[in-house]
Amino acid sequence: MDNNTSFLRHRGQEPAIPLPPLVDSPSLPIAPPDDQTPIYPGPDESQIPSLPIAPDNQIPAYPGNMGDGSVSYPGLCRIRFLFAAVNYDPVNISIGPRRLATRLAYGNLSCYSLVLDGFRTFTVTLSDSPRTILLRKTVPLRAGETLTLALINTFDGVDLLQIPDSICDNRSRGMACFRAVNLSPNSGALDISLTDGRVVYSDLRYKEVAPFKQARPGRYHFLVSSTLDYVPEEDIETLTGMSASPASDLSEEALLNFSTTLRAGVLYTVYLIGRVAGTPALSTLIAENR
């Protein structure tokens, strides 16, 4: 009986059965000295994504999360579309073959889409007549930014107006942020006031984006009127509580009045759209960002 078929018993253990030698078999991983982790064949280490590591008592930082609660998208930006151009039928908006908005109608706001940064060419066509191109425009987009692109009226057609949806800098805890944008093509300069007479924004021109202002949470009533002959000494910096009913002399001169509830931690943008003494009438579209 040769060594390959013999049975041996050693110190009371089970018989050891010799096995034939392994041919072309991978070697087992061998741990380096000092109790380190075994090294084994595997994919290129550079191809293995590293896991996010949280700093001490902080939020992990990973693509899309900056660690401070804000959101970024490396190489990407977030854009949405607002249809503010009067007297136009619903439109489609695309970048190349990619459709970003379908049958977007007047007074409506699309959802955000992620788009690569760089110079991007947007095409606006009529939904019911896709061969009818209303606008083709190249817009520079920067990575990490959030934008609303508003479709507005021009002298001979339409245009896309870039409106940054940036954060409200230095906002105090427990406060909301509020701003206004004038997209009414025939309104002239406008004033936005609280109904107790305090001016929030004055001389707001067509296509002008007012800066954010802090606001205490609560229900607010606003008046929109043509800019007065005098210029207020100073617009109020922070919106606070106000009278519940409009002052009669101000409300009689107002082109529009509207109310909204402002909540802590939310950014509000009031878009003024439509025509003064025309169709569609001057109105507001209020958007929220968190």
Side-chain angles (χ1 to χ4, degrees):
M1 181 179 298
D2 57 27
N3 290 335
N4 288 331
T5 58
S6 63
F7 295 83
L8 301 178
R9 185 178 298 274
H10 179 64
R11 296 181 180 178
Q13 297 180 3
E14 293 299 321
I17 304 175
L19 300 176
L22 298 175
V23 179
D24 296 330
S25 299
S27 59
L28 295 175
I30 301 174
D34 301 326
D35 299 325
Q36 297 182 23
T37 303
I39 301 174
Y40 59 92
D44 183 356
E45 184 178 357
S46 64
Q47 303 300 316
I48 301 176
S50 59
L51 295 176
I53 300 176
D56 293 341
N57 300 321
Q58 295 184 28
I59 301 173
Y62 54 86
N65 179 4
M66 299 301 292
D68 60 358
S70 61
V71 177
S72 70
Y73 301 89
L76 300 171
C77 63
R78 299 169 68 225
I79 60 172
R80 65 182 177 186
F81 301 95
L82 167 63
F83 194 152
V86 300
N87 299 330
Y88 281 92
D89 292 330
V91 299
N92 299 333
I93 304 177
S94 307
I95 294 181
R98 182 186 174 192
R99 180 78 59 79
L100 299 179
T102 300
R103 296 199 65 82
L104 186 64
Y106 170 77
N108 282 271
L109 193 66
S110 75
C111 297
Y112 281 109
S113 298
L114 290 177
V115 176
L116 286 172
D117 65 343
F119 288 84
R120 297 287 170 247
T121 299
F122 295 84
T123 301
V124 182
T125 61
L126 290 176
S127 297
D128 294 331
S129 180
R131 294 180 179 272
T132 303
I133 298 176
L134 299 179
L135 177 69
R136 180 173 283 128
K137 180 177 182 177
T138 300
V139 177
L141 302 175
R142 293 182 300 174
E145 71 180 345
T146 301
L147 289 172
T148 294
L149 297 180
L151 188 67
I152 61 171
N153 295 93
T154 62
F155 178 75
D156 57 355
V158 295
D159 192 14
L160 284 173
L161 176 68
Q162 293 178 256
I163 303 173
D165 292 330
S166 57
I167 62 173
C168 183
D169 293 332
N170 301 321
R171 181 181 63 210
S172 301
R173 179 180 294 273
M175 300 287 279
C177 275
F178 177 90
R179 70 173 175 177
V181 183
N182 184 357
L183 300 181
S184 172
N186 74 331
S187 68
L190 297 174
D191 290 343
I192 300 178
S193 307
L194 297 173
T195 55
D196 60 4
R198 287 177 291 165
V199 177
V200 182
Y201 297 111
S202 62
D203 199 30
L204 190 64
R205 305 294 177 116
Y206 180 51
K207 299 191 293 185
E208 185 177 352
V209 181
F212 276 113
K213 293 190 176 185
Q214 293 189 103
R216 298 187 185 280
R219 184 75 174 171
Y220 288 86
H221 308 278
F222 297 92
L223 300 175
V224 180
S225 56
S226 296
T227 295
L228 304 176
D229 293 335
Y230 72 92
V231 177
E233 294 182 3
E234 185 178 2
D235 295 350
I236 60 174
E237 291 298 326
T238 302
L239 280 68
T240 57
M242 48 173 300
S243 57
S245 59
S248 58
D249 55 340
L250 294 176
S251 60
E252 289 175 359
E253 298 176 358
L255 301 172
L256 174 70
N257 62 77
F258 66 95
S259 300
T260 187
T261 299
L262 307 183
R263 292 171 294 171
V266 182
L267 282 59
Y268 296 86
T269 301
V270 176
Y271 298 99
L272 298 167
I273 61 176
R275 292 182 176 275
V276 173
T279 302
L282 184 66
S283 62
T284 61
L285 175 65
I286 303 176
E288 298 182 7
N289 285 76
R290 299 176 185 273

